[in-house]
Amino acid sequence: MDTALFVNLIIIAVGLIIFIVSMIDYAIAFAIFLSIYPIIYTAPVIEGWGGYNPSRIIVLLLFIVSLIKIKPYWQQIPFKGIIYSYLLFMLMLLISVMLSELPKETFTRSLIYLLPIMFYCCTLVVVISNKKGLRYIFLAFIIGFTLTTVYGLLEIIMQRNILVDFGIIVQEYEWMTDIRLDYGRITSFIGQPVITSLYYIFTIPAIYFIRKQYIESKLVKQFLLIILMMAIVCVLYTGSRTGLVGLVLLIIIYFALSPQEFNIARLLTICLLMIGIIYFIAPSGFLTYSVASFDISKPVTEETQNFLGRFEVTYAMLDLARENLLFGFGPGYLLKMKDAYGVFVEVAGMENQYAALVADAGICGLVTFLIFLITIFKASGKIRGSKNDFVKGWAIIFISIFWVLVTTGFTYMYIVTIVYDLIMVYFGIQIGLSYIESREQLLENCHYE
C-alpha cells in the first residue's frame, strides 16, 4: 500500500475515534487531538488530493460538535466581536474568490483560512463547558511540546529526519542537505524550519506559564525546565533568524508587560543563559550566516541575497496586486503562477503575510484582517486588567506572543500554518478564562445580595 494512503488512513481512523469520544467527553477528545496535532500536521498528501490534510478533517468534525455545545453559552460569551470581525474577513476572501480567474482553486485555498476560527471555537467550548477542560488542554500542550522537542533533539544528534526518510512526513525541501549553516536544519514533525522555530518560541512561554502557575509537583517542574532548555537548542538548530529574533522580542515584550516580574537579577540570569546557549551550543555557521545576511553595505553575496530577496518578492507581490487592488486575485492564486513567473518561486516560502493578503484579497481583505487583529488586541488589553493573577498572567503571555506573531508576519506567512492555529487556541483559553471570571463574579454578587 502507498505510504501516503496508509498514513492518511491511520490518521483518519484516529480522527473518527476522537470524533466519537467528543460525543461523550468533548474536552478529552479535543485535548487528544491537540496533543498529536504537531505530529500529524505534515502528513503526506495523497496524489490528487492536495489541500485535504486529514488533520483538517478532524478539526472540522470537532468544530461541528463545538457549534452544538457552544449554543447554551453563546449569550454570555464575551468579546463576540472577534468572531464577527473574522467572519467579515472571510466574506472579503469569498468575494475575491468569486472575482478570481481561478474560482475553484482559490475557493479550495480559502477554506484553509477557516482553521484558526475553528481552533478558537473548539478551545472556547472546552474551557467554558468543562471544569477540567483547562487541565486537559495544558496536558495536551505538554505532551505535544515534549514529543516535538525530543524528536527535534534526536534530529540534531542523528542529522536526519527518520519520518521524512520513510515518507511519513512531507517536506517542501530536504533541509538536512542545506549546509549553508554548516549543518542540517531541523524541522521535527512540522516539516519547515521557520515554522518549526516559531512553534517552539510560541509554545515556550505557554509551558513556562503552566510550569510556574499550574504545576505543583517539583519533579514535573524540573522535567519541564529541561524540556524548555532543549527547545531553545532546537530553535537554534532550525537555522531560522526569524525564530531567534522572535525569541529575543518575546523576552523583551514579556518583561515590559510584567513589571512585577522585572528584576535585574532575573533578567541578567536569563540573558546570560541565552548568551551561553547561543555561544556554546549554536553552530558557528548559524551566527556567521545570520550576521552576514544583514550586512548589506558589502557587495551582494549569497547571505545578503537571501535577506534582500524577501524585499524583492514583497515588492513583486504588491506590484502585481495593483491590477486587482480592491479584492485581489483570490487565496493561493500566486502559488499557481509561481512556475510562470520566476520571481514568484519564493512565494511558496514564508515571505510577507500582509503583502500576500493584498495579493490574495486586496486592500479590503487586508483591512478586515487588521480589524480582526485590533479586536484581539483590545480584548486582550481589557483582560490584562483582571484582578485575578492567573487570568492576568495568561493575558500577558498571550499579548507577548501575539505582538511577536504580528511583527514577524513581515517575514513569513503565518495564517495558514500550525503557528496561527496554536495562537488561536491560546486566545480561546484567554476568552474562556474571562468568561469563567465574569460568571464567578456574577455568582458572588448574587450570593451577597
Side-chain angles (χ1 to χ4, degrees):
M1 182 185 292
D2 179 67
T3 302
L5 178 60
F6 179 70
V7 172
N8 277 262
L9 286 175
I10 290 177
I11 295 174
I12 290 172
V14 172
L16 289 174
I17 294 172
I18 291 174
F19 177 65
I20 293 170
V21 173
S22 72
M23 301 293 188
I24 304 168
D25 193 318
Y26 187 81
I28 290 178
F30 183 67
I32 293 172
F33 169 71
L34 205 58
S35 65
I36 64 173
Y37 185 49
I39 301 171
I40 65 175
Y41 173 70
T42 49
V45 178
I46 301 172
E47 187 175 352
W49 287 74
Y52 294 94
N53 187 297
S55 64
R56 295 170 187 164
I57 298 173
I58 303 173
V59 176
L60 176 60
L61 293 174
L62 290 171
F63 174 66
I64 292 171
V65 178
S66 76
L67 292 179
I68 300 170
K69 292 186 175 292
I70 204 172
K71 191 175 180 181
Y73 307 95
W74 180 251
Q75 293 301 324
Q76 291 79 35
I77 291 175
F79 308 110
K80 287 192 281 288
I82 293 156
I83 295 177
Y84 298 143
S85 61
Y86 198 81
L87 291 178
L88 179 62
F89 167 62
M90 289 302 301
L91 177 62
M92 293 302 107
L93 285 181
L94 183 59
I95 292 173
S96 70
V97 167
M98 294 170 64
L99 298 175
S100 175
E101 296 176 6
L102 301 171
K104 182 179 178 181
E105 291 86 349
T106 54
F107 176 73
T108 301
R109 178 75 175 179
S110 68
L111 293 177
I112 302 174
Y113 284 83
L114 285 170
L115 286 174
I117 206 67
M118 289 183 182
F119 274 93
Y120 170 73
C121 290
C122 291
T123 306
L124 191 56
V125 167
V126 171
V127 176
I128 68 178
S129 67
N130 192 313
K131 291 182 178 180
K132 296 182 179 179
L134 192 61
R135 180 187 302 176
Y136 295 150
I137 290 179
F138 282 172
L139 181 60
F141 285 162
I142 292 172
I143 293 172
F145 183 67
T146 300
L147 292 174
T148 307
T149 302
V150 170
Y151 187 71
L153 199 64
L154 287 174
E155 198 179 350
I156 294 172
I157 295 169
M158 300 176 66
Q159 279 295 285
R160 61 181 296 198
N161 192 317
I162 298 174
L163 295 180
V164 172
D165 294 343
F166 284 102
I168 297 174
I169 291 176
V170 291
Q171 290 183 162
E172 63 184 32
Y173 178 75
E174 182 49 64
W175 296 104
M176 274 299 163
T177 63
D178 186 353
I179 56 172
R180 61 183 174 175
L181 308 181
D182 299 330
Y183 68 99
R185 302 174 68 182
I186 70 163
T187 60
S188 190
F189 301 117
I190 295 170
Q192 209 281 343
V194 177
I195 302 303
T196 302
S197 70
L198 291 170
Y199 167 83
Y200 284 130
I201 71 166
F202 290 153
T203 312
I204 285 171
I207 299 298
Y208 167 78
F209 177 85
I210 294 169
R211 178 185 180 273
K212 180 183 177 184
Q213 298 282 0
Y214 202 78
I215 301 296
E216 296 180 358
S217 168
K218 290 184 179 180
L219 183 62
V220 176
K221 282 179 178 286
Q222 293 301 318
F223 169 77
L224 290 179
L225 182 62
I226 294 170
I227 296 297
L228 286 169
M229 294 298 102
M230 289 168 58
I232 293 174
V233 173
C234 288
V235 170
L236 298 175
Y237 275 83
T238 61
S240 169
R241 292 157 296 178
T242 300
L244 183 59
V245 171
L247 185 60
V248 174
L249 276 176
L250 201 56
I251 295 171
I252 294 171
I253 294 171
Y254 175 74
F255 277 107
L257 293 174
S258 310
Q260 73 280 5
E261 292 283 340
F262 184 86
N263 70 58
I264 299 299
R266 181 176 297 172
L267 184 59
L268 284 175
T269 300
I270 292 175
C271 290
L272 288 173
L273 184 63
M274 288 293 298
I275 292 171
I277 290 175
I278 292 172
Y279 185 79
F280 292 106
I281 298 179
S284 58
F286 176 45
L287 300 178
T288 303
Y289 188 89
S290 298
V291 173
S293 65
F294 291 105
D295 188 6
I296 58 176
S297 61
K298 295 179 179 179
V300 175
T301 62
E302 179 187 353
E303 292 85 356
T304 55
Q305 180 57 39
N306 179 269
F307 175 67
L308 295 172
R310 297 174 182 270
F311 293 97
E312 293 177 9
V313 174
T314 297
Y315 175 79
M317 285 193 288
L318 292 175
D319 186 53
L320 184 65
R322 289 189 299 177
E323 297 180 19
N324 285 307
L325 193 58
L326 279 180
F327 295 105
F329 293 92
Y333 183 82
L334 294 184
L335 298 180
K336 299 291 181 182
M337 297 176 62
K338 64 183 175 64
D339 294 328
Y341 295 84
V343 71
F344 291 115
V345 170
E346 294 298 325
V347 174
M350 314 300 156
E351 304 301 340
N352 188 316
Q353 178 62 78
Y354 310 109
L357 269 179
V358 175
D360 279 354
I363 294 296
C364 293
L366 177 62
V367 169
T368 51
F369 184 70
L370 292 178
I371 290 172
F372 171 67
L373 296 183
I374 292 170
T375 306
I376 289 180
F377 275 121
K378 287 182 66 177
S380 302
K382 289 181 180 179
I383 297 172
R384 186 192 165 206
S386 169
K387 295 179 181 179
N388 184 299
D389 291 339
F390 190 88
V391 176
K392 182 178 180 178
W394 184 262
I396 290 172
I397 289 289
F398 174 79
I399 294 171
S400 303
I401 294 171
F402 202 66
W403 264 115
V404 176
L405 174 82
V406 172
T407 304
T408 54
F410 290 99
T411 64
Y412 77 108
M413 296 163 60
Y414 59 76
I415 297 181
V416 293
T417 68
I418 187 175
V419 172
Y420 202 56
D421 299 337
L422 190 66
I423 296 296
M424 293 308 289
V425 170
Y426 293 166
F427 191 56
I429 292 173
Q430 181 175 255
I431 300 301
L433 288 173
S434 177
Y435 168 86
I436 293 170
E437 184 183 27
S438 64
R439 296 297 295 171
E440 287 177 349
Q441 289 175 351
L442 178 63
L443 290 173
E444 287 175 5
N445 292 335
C446 290
H447 179 71
Y448 176 77
E449 292 173 0

